[in-house]
Amino acid sequence: MPAIASPPSSPRLSAPQKSTPTFSPPSVSVIFVLGGPGSGKGTQCANLVRDYGFTHLSAGDLLRAEQDRPDSEFGNMIKEYIREGTIVPMEVTVQLLENAMTEVVERGENEGREGKGKGKFLIDGFPRKMDQAEHFESNVCSSEFTLFFDCPESVMQERLLSRGKTSGRADDNAESIKKRFKTFVETSMPVVEYFESKGKVERVPATEGPEQVYSRVRESLKRRRFEAVGDGG
């Protein structure tokens, strides 16, 4: 993945506004995937990749990979934000996502699925704040809709503590989990509510088992005129 452009004197990216987004909806389809930590986003994204031919981009995974990249200027900063359960500056996250999307489109990984050069992306765990949503849609691509996994905090906490026994993730512990819940409610729910007011949210109850939840997810995609490909349909 190309490195993030270095700013002249600050660890915060400048990211000037573009006159037009990098990608347009006819060539690229983007679905935002949101839900509290432990709501099952990753599991359901894997199902959609298998059955619908999407490329799954996890904002969190991209940030964790960037923090471990030896020559990353932003690695230490990202590590601190993740440890505190707070949100990394939007310029960093948006640039990482744009870099990853560009790589996929240039390699033609979606060719043959919905026409040559058609990029289909699930962006998992993003946007987590309104400024991220506005910056991405103005500079990278307008989203088709947001898939929101609606799950009570008690259920998500139980799942995360169980996952933390084997995941090795620094933020799968009780203290970080509490901070992540608070951050999600305060900053990400307004994003969900904003897109919902625009008719661009599919709200999926996520307390049941993975198969039952996925059945609801498929219904949501059908309403949005996305069809499964290959044997998944």
Side-chain angles (χ1 to χ4, degrees), residues 64-224:
R64 282 184 284 273
E66 183 69 16
Q67 77 175 352
D68 294 332
R69 195 165 61 83
D71 57 344
S72 173
E73 181 174 354
F74 303 97
N76 288 335
M77 177 191 70
I78 292 171
K79 193 172 298 183
E80 180 65 21
Y81 276 93
I82 290 177
R83 182 167 57 246
E84 291 300 315
T86 51
I87 295 175
V88 174
M90 69 169 180
E91 296 92 343
V92 175
T93 307
V94 171
Q95 188 63 59
L96 288 172
L97 287 167
E98 183 176 349
N99 289 349
M101 290 174 65
T102 299
E103 282 192 2
V104 171
V105 171
E106 288 181 350
R107 288 199 304 262
E109 290 186 2
N110 290 116
E111 289 180 15
R113 299 191 187 275
E114 280 196 0
K116 186 176 176 63
K118 176 72 173 182
K120 294 166 60 181
F121 296 95
L122 299 171
I123 302 188
D124 176 2
F126 180 93
R128 296 184 64 196
K129 290 178 67 178
M130 277 307 305
D131 61 355
Q132 289 184 348
E134 293 166 351
H135 188 73
F136 184 93
E137 295 216 329
S138 296
N139 290 274
V140 183
C141 184
S142 178
S143 65
E144 297 280 345
F145 66 95
T146 295
L147 192 59
F148 173 55
F149 292 96
D150 197 0
C151 192
E153 182 175 326
S154 60
V155 174
M156 292 188 287
Q157 183 172 26
E158 182 179 349
R159 290 174 179 174
L160 288 174
L161 289 173
S162 177
R163 184 178 75 179
K165 296 174 183 176
T166 57
S167 70
R169 280 179 48 169
D171 56 350
D172 276 349
N173 61 76
E175 184 179 354
S176 289
I177 288 168
K178 186 174 181 180
K179 292 177 180 177
R180 289 160 67 193
F181 285 145
K182 185 173 185 292
T183 299
F184 180 78
V185 170
E186 291 179 351
T187 64
S188 298
M189 280 309 299
V191 176
V192 174
E193 291 160 2
Y194 168 76
F195 282 123
E196 206 157 34
S197 73
K198 303 291 185 183
K200 293 179 64 175
V201 168
E202 290 288 337
R203 188 181 287 255
V204 178
T207 55
E208 298 179 293
E211 291 184 3
Q212 291 90 339
V213 173
Y214 187 48
S215 177
R216 295 177 183 272
V217 170
R218 288 175 66 100
E219 291 171 3
S220 294
L221 265 72
K222 187 174 182 179
R223 282 194 293 271
R224 299 287 173 167

Side-chain angles (χ1 to χ4, degrees), residues 31-34 41-42 45 56-60 97 122-126:
I31 298 176
F32 294 143
V33 183
L34 288 176
K41 300 186 302 296
C45 284
H56 176 212
L57 298 178
S58 164
L97 287 167
L122 299 171
I123 302 188
D124 176 2
F126 180 93

Side-chain angles (χ1 to χ4, degrees), residues 9-28:
S9 60
S10 168
R12 238 185 124 88
L13 295 178
S14 54
Q17 290 286 325
K18 301 174 184 175
S19 57
T20 57
T22 300
F23 305 106
S24 60
S27 62
V28 167

